[in-house]
Amino acid sequence: MQHLCFVKCYCLVSCLERTGYYQRDGWEGLTIEAVAEAAGLSRVTAWRLGASREALVASLLSQLGQDYRQAMWPAMVGTGTARERLDLAIDALFTVIDSHLPLLLASDTVFHRATATKINFNEPFTRLFEDGRVDHSVAAIAADPAEASDLLFNTICWPYVHLRGRHGWTSARARQRLRGLLGPSLDPG
């Protein structure tokens, strides 16, 4: 039953995303009224579908977590050096950001709120920095792999979100420029 509510809420919020409403108004823009209007429903109908503000937010965060886990999987289980897999993970993060850009533009606390989905968003990067210590293919940008992960994740995520959403950069342009800045700092020696 709870899964069905998440699916319905996610579909409703998808309508709202297309309007850019909560992108403009942040979390405050995520209301039953706004979602119902964007979906062409009455507020009562949206409520009957199980839409509450809490359910809408939970649905968005759950989908973000699922998409992130799925996108990171190839980098975690793939072959190649830790540096090669780190590049895959960075690409996966860019892809997830693009898929959830309106949500990420609404608040820079999204990943903190999404910890309720039981996903540590830094964990894949921490693992890759640990693997990089073993195969010497990734520079140690911090003594602690968890700190390096936190630094890398936030250095990639929020500038990318800002450049894509606030400056209108294309995905290719933002990825290329951020990789140009970050690439050399990740290469060993």
Side-chain angles (χ1 to χ4, degrees), residues 42-111:
S42 72
R43 187 176 51 87
V44 173
T45 301
W47 180 80
R48 285 186 184 143
L49 290 172
S52 66
R53 190 171 195 303
E54 295 76 27
L56 294 170
V57 170
S59 174
L60 285 168
L61 298 178
S62 175
Q63 190 62 50
L64 173 64
Q66 290 172 29
D67 290 351
Y68 187 80
R69 181 182 289 123
Q70 184 176 5
M72 288 294 164
W73 187 248
M76 297 296 90
V77 300
T79 59
T81 66
R83 180 66 172 93
E84 292 165 343
R85 292 183 298 121
L86 184 59
D87 283 338
L88 288 174
I90 291 169
D91 283 338
L93 178 57
F94 286 142
T95 299
V96 170
I97 291 168
D98 284 333
S99 296
H100 296 272
L101 190 58
L103 174 64
L104 296 169
L105 284 165
S107 172
D108 67 353
T109 64
V110 170
F111 288 103

Side-chain angles (χ1 to χ4, degrees), residues 3-77:
H3 177 71
L4 183 59
C5 178
F6 278 170
V7 170
K8 290 176 183 176
C9 287
Y10 187 74
C11 290
L12 291 173
V13 171
S14 292
C15 294
L16 186 62
E17 283 181 341
R18 287 192 293 275
T19 69
Y21 191 91
Y22 77 88
Q23 180 178 335
R24 286 188 311 270
D25 299 332
W27 287 112
E28 294 75 33
L30 186 60
T31 65
I32 301 302
E33 292 80 11
V35 169
E37 180 181 328
L41 302 171
S42 72
R43 187 176 51 87
V44 173
T45 301
W47 180 80
R48 285 186 184 143
L49 290 172
S52 66
R53 190 171 195 303
E54 295 76 27
L56 294 170
V57 170
S59 174
L60 285 168
L61 298 178
S62 175
Q63 190 62 50
L64 173 64
Q66 290 172 29
D67 290 351
Y68 187 80
R69 181 182 289 123
Q70 184 176 5
M72 288 294 164
W73 187 248
M76 297 296 90
V77 300

